[in-house]
Amino acid sequence: MTTTTRRTHGFTDLPRLMALMTGDEKHGPAATSTLDALWVLYDRVLRVDPERLDDPERDRFLLSKGHGPMAYYAVLAAKGFLPVEWLPGFGSYDSPLGHHPDRVLVPGAEIGSGSLGHGLPIAVGTALGLRAQGRPGPAVWVLIGDAELDEGSNHEAIAFAGPAGLDRLHTIVIDNSSASHARPGGIAARFEAAGWSAETVDGRNHEALHAAFTAPHPGRPRVVVARVEPKNAPAPVQT
């Protein structure tokens, strides 16, 4: 029997891990725009690990921006959720790592995603479900793109979550200037008007991201808008 050794990697390993994934339909800008936020979340915030994927008290992370999953797969591999040896097969016929993540095939994936506008409503339902089960501990996190806010399903989820006081719900919006219908006043204003706690930060600054992710927000859901370089612009080198 062949066994695969899983070991953890650091942030500086992520470009090399992403480079292992080749082929068409990579959606590179969608992936690289999320890299820093994903790393800070999995490295310093989320209470979940490969040995406790079914723990009912785990935090839940939902990747709504699933059409660019390379960074997500790289972070999962770096943290030992899946073998690094899987990465070169990305997108191939017999690979578990598809162009959209599949929760049945990808260890640690809570939802299958990639069709924009679904992740935040599912996260709202997840937070409601945990509340109904009497589980106040697990946090629910969802990562969406700014262009997803063009979807009506997200308008309804935002409008519901604030008055419902879903304070275990956290949304990360990766803003790479992709939205066709950007709201005057900025993304955070939309959430604040619906009763959310909101903050906008540099999406490449790990300390700023961590501070925003861990800021208290009693009685209100939380959104962090992570601004990164516009789509198709070269990503800055992390130092």
Side-chain angles (χ1 to χ4, degrees):
M1 180 178 64
T2 301
T3 59
T4 300
T5 301
R6 299 188 183 189
R7 69 178 184 89
T8 57
H9 300 72
F11 179 74
T12 56
D13 294 309
L14 295 182
R16 177 179 61 82
L17 296 179
M18 290 183 67
L20 295 174
M21 291 174 273
T22 60
D24 298 329
E25 299 297 328
K26 292 192 298 182
H27 287 283
T32 55
S33 67
T34 68
L35 190 61
D36 297 83
L38 283 170
W39 178 257
V40 173
L41 195 62
Y42 271 89
D43 190 53
R44 303 171 62 180
V45 179
L46 282 179
R47 298 180 303 115
V48 63
D49 60 65
E51 285 70 44
R52 297 185 301 141
L53 293 179
D54 296 322
D55 185 349
E57 294 300 321
R58 74 191 182 281
D59 289 345
R60 273 71 165 174
F61 172 72
L62 284 60
L63 179 69
S64 188
K65 194 177 168 74
H67 60 292
M70 289 197 305
Y72 183 47
Y73 293 155
V75 170
L76 288 177
K79 289 299 179 181
F81 287 85
L82 55 89
V84 170
E85 290 81 1
W86 286 9
L87 299 180
F90 166 72
S92 62
Y93 175 76
D94 58 350
S95 172
L97 305 182
H99 294 135
H100 294 182
D102 185 326
R103 70 177 184 87
V104 177
L105 300 177
V106 180
E110 296 281 356
I111 60 170
S113 60
S115 181
L116 301 184
H118 292 169
L120 182 52
I122 294 173
V124 168
T126 302
L128 284 171
L130 290 168
R131 175 187 284 182
Q133 294 171 19
R135 297 188 184 279
V140 179
W141 290 82
V142 58
L143 186 150
I144 70 176
D146 62 316
E148 289 192 71
L149 295 176
D150 294 341
E151 301 286 345
S153 54
N154 281 327
H155 288 267
E156 296 182 14
I158 294 166
F160 177 86
L166 295 180
D167 56 4
R168 301 305 290 155
L169 174 63
H170 308 77
T171 299
I172 304 168
V173 181
I174 302 296
D175 181 8
N176 66 350
S177 304
S178 295
S180 299
H181 308 290
R183 181 185 179 92
I187 294 171
R190 170 183 294 187
F191 286 83
E192 288 176 327
W196 289 58
S197 166
E199 185 174 351
T200 300
V201 299
D202 178 351
R204 300 300 185 190
N205 186 318
H206 290 197
E207 293 307 317
L209 286 166
H210 181 257
F213 290 169
T214 56
H217 50 96
R220 295 191 291 168
R222 174 74 167 165
V223 62
V224 175
V225 181
R227 286 182 172 166
V228 298
E229 61 283 349
K231 184 178 181 181
N232 295 324
V237 177
Q238 186 76 32
T239 59

